[in-house]
Amino acid sequence: MSTYVVVGLQYGDEGKGKITDVLSAKSDYVVRFQGGDNAGHTVYVGDEKFVLHLLPSGVLQCKGKCIIANGVVVNPKAFIKEIEQIESKGLKTDHVFISRRSHVIMPYHILLDTYREEEQGGTQIGTTKKGIGPCYEDKIARVGIRMIDLLNPDVLREKIEKNLKVKNSLFEKYFEKPGLDVEEIYQEFLALGEKLKDRIVDTELEINEAINEGKNILFEGAQALMLDIDFGTYPFVTSSSPSTGGVCTGAGVPPTALQNLIGVAKAYTTRVGNGPFPTELDNELGEKIRQIGFEFGATTGRPRRTGWLDLVSLKHACMINGINNLVITKLDVLTGIHPLKIATKYKTEDGKIIDYFTSSTTKLYDYEPIYEELEGWNEDITNARTYDELPDNAKKYIEFIEEHLGINVYLVSVGPERSQNIIRKELF
């Protein structure tokens, strides 16, 4: 069997879409296993830019099947819109399927997400207001609507009626907003189910059969480990597990089936939304990195916060994920910056020096990163295609990461194009 898992190791936006796109050319299946259309994976094909939110990034190159598995929450309208956008550029999407078990993002999920974020004194986590969290809430509360329900009119109506009793009460009495109409939502989602019925299938059975047949299966995560519901900077996290472990529950495969665990990290760190960020550069240098790296959210367009590479959090992410192949992206963005800093330890609020990540989000705000300084380089590296073509100081930067984490960097990205990769070993 040949299974590959691509996950993010920071706060999302590491370039997982590009890596998935590259690997998908040799994949029989590309499987998205968690998250929703809050993700934004940017893939460049020549001068064409594709921003994929819900579809697996492998949709552009995979000659086999692309699957949205049971762990993903699906907005059917967003799915159809994205399919139409891809097809309008002359590409086929008849190889894209959705799990019957995937939960459906309903209009009341989106409203609830929006009202909470806009509420005075609310949590203001910095969500994309796409309804992802509230949909996962209903899933865990066992009142969710699944894709299979869109094909069963009686079940669909009953579930919408029950959910709107609670949700409308919340909208009207707590948020002082108008409620939603049962019939209107029922008719809309019944029609969506009819439109998508040929794409709604039992994905876990097919994926496991493909694994047993030795097919190449590529599992694609959204967001990243530092946004994991358990192991990230809670509560400033996503509502699912974007980890290698999340593949098992998110796609219905056993842990013994997972082989090549690929972790993607930028050569620096970025974060969108609120939450602690120990190595943040809230200054002129941080703005310079933002502009050179074009660090703006693919889904929201929000400016990303930027900072130095944090090996304390990266070590934590690699440990939880069991990463055995590392990818470093956007190394080219650091060209011309002197010196370069990498955080290897934290100084806690009481003066203690630690090299591990804390579970206390509130304390993390007061932690001071302890840096190692490395010499930078001035050479343009965007045309480098072999490791030996990199300047010595760029190689030293990569080797410092490898030595600290004890994991080999198998691919270095030096630009946004498919071709701008230094592949140090072939995984396929």
Side-chain angles (χ1 to χ4, degrees):
M1 62 184 178
S2 300
T3 55
Y4 306 82
V5 182
V6 176
V7 293
L9 299 176
Q10 294 164 313
Y11 298 94
D13 313 306
E14 299 92 349
K16 300 181 295 298
K18 178 190 175 184
I19 303 307
T20 300
D21 174 65
V22 169
L23 294 176
S24 66
K26 297 180 180 179
S27 299
D28 298 302
Y29 286 81
V30 180
V31 181
R32 173 84 181 275
F33 63 89
Q34 50 75 224
D37 61 317
N38 56 339
H41 292 170
T42 305
V43 179
Y44 290 86
V45 184
D47 295 330
E48 200 83 68
K49 177 183 176 182
F50 294 85
V51 180
L52 305 171
H53 302 280
L54 188 56
L55 297 182
S57 300
V59 69
L60 303 178
Q61 287 220 90
C62 179
K63 301 299 187 291
K65 292 186 178 181
C66 289
I67 289 177
I68 295 174
N70 60 278
V72 181
V73 290
V74 177
N75 181 331
K77 291 186 281 187
F79 175 84
I80 291 169
K81 181 180 178 182
E82 205 162 319
I83 287 287
E84 290 173 347
Q85 287 175 344
I86 295 287
E87 290 179 344
S88 71
K89 296 185 179 182
L91 298 171
K92 291 184 177 180
T93 64
D94 57 358
H95 60 317
V96 182
F97 298 90
I98 307 172
S99 170
R100 288 175 157 202
R101 300 174 187 267
S102 292
H103 279 248
V104 181
I105 296 173
M106 302 298 289
Y108 47 80
H109 293 138
I110 296 170
L111 288 180
L112 188 55
D113 201 1
T114 302
Y115 295 158
R116 283 175 176 169
E117 281 293 302
E118 294 175 351
E119 183 185 11
Q120 194 73 20
T123 53
Q124 295 173 333
I125 291 168
T127 79
T128 54
K129 301 177 185 177
K130 301 269 188 174
I132 312 297
C135 184
Y136 275 116
E137 286 176 39
D138 279 1
K139 176 179 179 175
I140 299 304
R142 295 166 291 187
V143 296
I145 293 172
R146 302 191 297 173
M147 291 301 293
I148 187 65
D149 298 329
L150 301 187
L151 309 182
N152 190 326
D154 292 340
V155 172
L156 180 61
R157 179 182 285 278
E158 181 184 357
K159 286 192 171 185
I160 291 173
E161 287 175 350
K162 284 184 176 179
N163 274 286
L164 280 187
K165 274 186 182 179
V166 177
K167 300 298 191 296
N168 278 344
S169 178
L170 187 61
F171 294 152
E172 293 164 358
K173 296 178 182 177
Y174 182 78
F175 290 109
E176 298 181 343
K177 303 284 187 180
L180 298 176
D181 181 68
V182 170
E183 187 64 26
E184 185 179 328
I185 293 175
Y186 170 69
Q187 292 297 337
E188 180 183 18
F189 280 79
L190 196 62
L192 288 168
E194 179 64 25
K195 191 167 186 177
L196 296 174
K197 64 181 180 182
D198 292 335
R199 295 185 187 268
I200 302 171
V201 299
D202 280 323
T203 57
E204 66 279 358
L205 180 62
E206 185 166 354
I207 294 169
N208 278 284
E209 286 177 347
I211 290 172
N212 292 334
E213 291 169 4
K215 299 284 182 69
N216 287 333
I217 319 290
L218 178 61
F219 295 96
E220 174 191 5
Q223 292 89 38
L225 196 281
M226 299 314 297
L227 297 176
D228 184 273
I229 188 69
D230 286 303
F231 300 107
T233 53
Y234 189 89
F236 302 101
V237 292
T238 195
S239 301
S240 58
S241 182
S243 66
T244 54
V247 175
C248 299
T249 55
V253 300
T256 50
L258 305 183
Q259 291 177 309
N260 302 284
L261 309 179
I262 304 162
V264 185
K266 282 177 181 164
Y268 48 98
T269 309
T270 64
R271 177 165 198 164
V272 173
N274 300 328
F277 186 172
T279 64
E280 184 169 12
L281 290 167
D282 190 14
N283 55 23
E284 189 177 326
L285 179 56
E287 181 60 29
K288 178 181 177 180
I289 292 172
R290 182 181 298 116
Q291 295 299 326
I292 294 172
F294 196 69
E295 296 296 352
F296 300 89
T299 297
T300 62
R302 288 180 295 181
R304 295 177 187 140
R305 300 155 65 191
T306 59
W308 295 118
L309 183 63
D310 184 346
L311 289 184
V312 182
S313 66
L314 201 54
K315 182 179 175 184
H316 168 75
C318 288
M319 175 186 72
I320 299 297
N321 283 302
I323 298 301
N324 51 27
N325 290 286
L326 199 59
V327 172
I328 298 297
T329 63
K330 291 198 167 184
L331 186 66
D332 53 299
V333 175
L334 297 182
T335 298
I337 297 175
H338 303 276
L340 295 171
K341 294 183 179 182
I342 299 179
T344 57
K345 294 181 176 67
Y346 294 154
K347 184 177 181 180
T348 68
E349 77 285 357
D350 56 2
K352 184 180 178 183
I353 306 298
I354 61 172
D355 63 355
Y356 55 86
F357 202 77
T358 178
S359 58
S360 174
T361 301
T362 51
K363 285 187 176 181
L364 196 57
Y365 284 105
D366 298 320
Y367 283 10
E368 178 186 336
I370 296 176
Y371 293 108
E372 297 270 353
E373 289 194 1
L374 285 78
E375 292 184 31
W377 60 91
N378 292 318
E379 300 92 329
D380 179 8
I381 65 171
T382 57
N383 294 315
R385 294 298 178 269
T386 68
Y387 191 67
D388 288 340
E389 291 179 83
L390 288 176
D392 286 343
N393 286 343
K395 287 189 279 191
K396 287 177 182 176
Y397 192 86
I398 295 296
E399 287 154 13
F400 185 91
I401 297 169
E402 290 181 315
E403 186 176 338
H404 191 87
L405 298 177
I407 305 169
N408 290 329
V409 173
Y410 105 88
L411 187 150
V412 181
S413 174
V414 292
E417 292 287 340
R418 276 178 180 165
S419 60
Q420 291 180 294
N421 297 313
I422 296 169
I423 299 175
R424 300 175 71 192
K425 73 169 183 179
E426 292 291 344
L427 291 185
F428 281 72

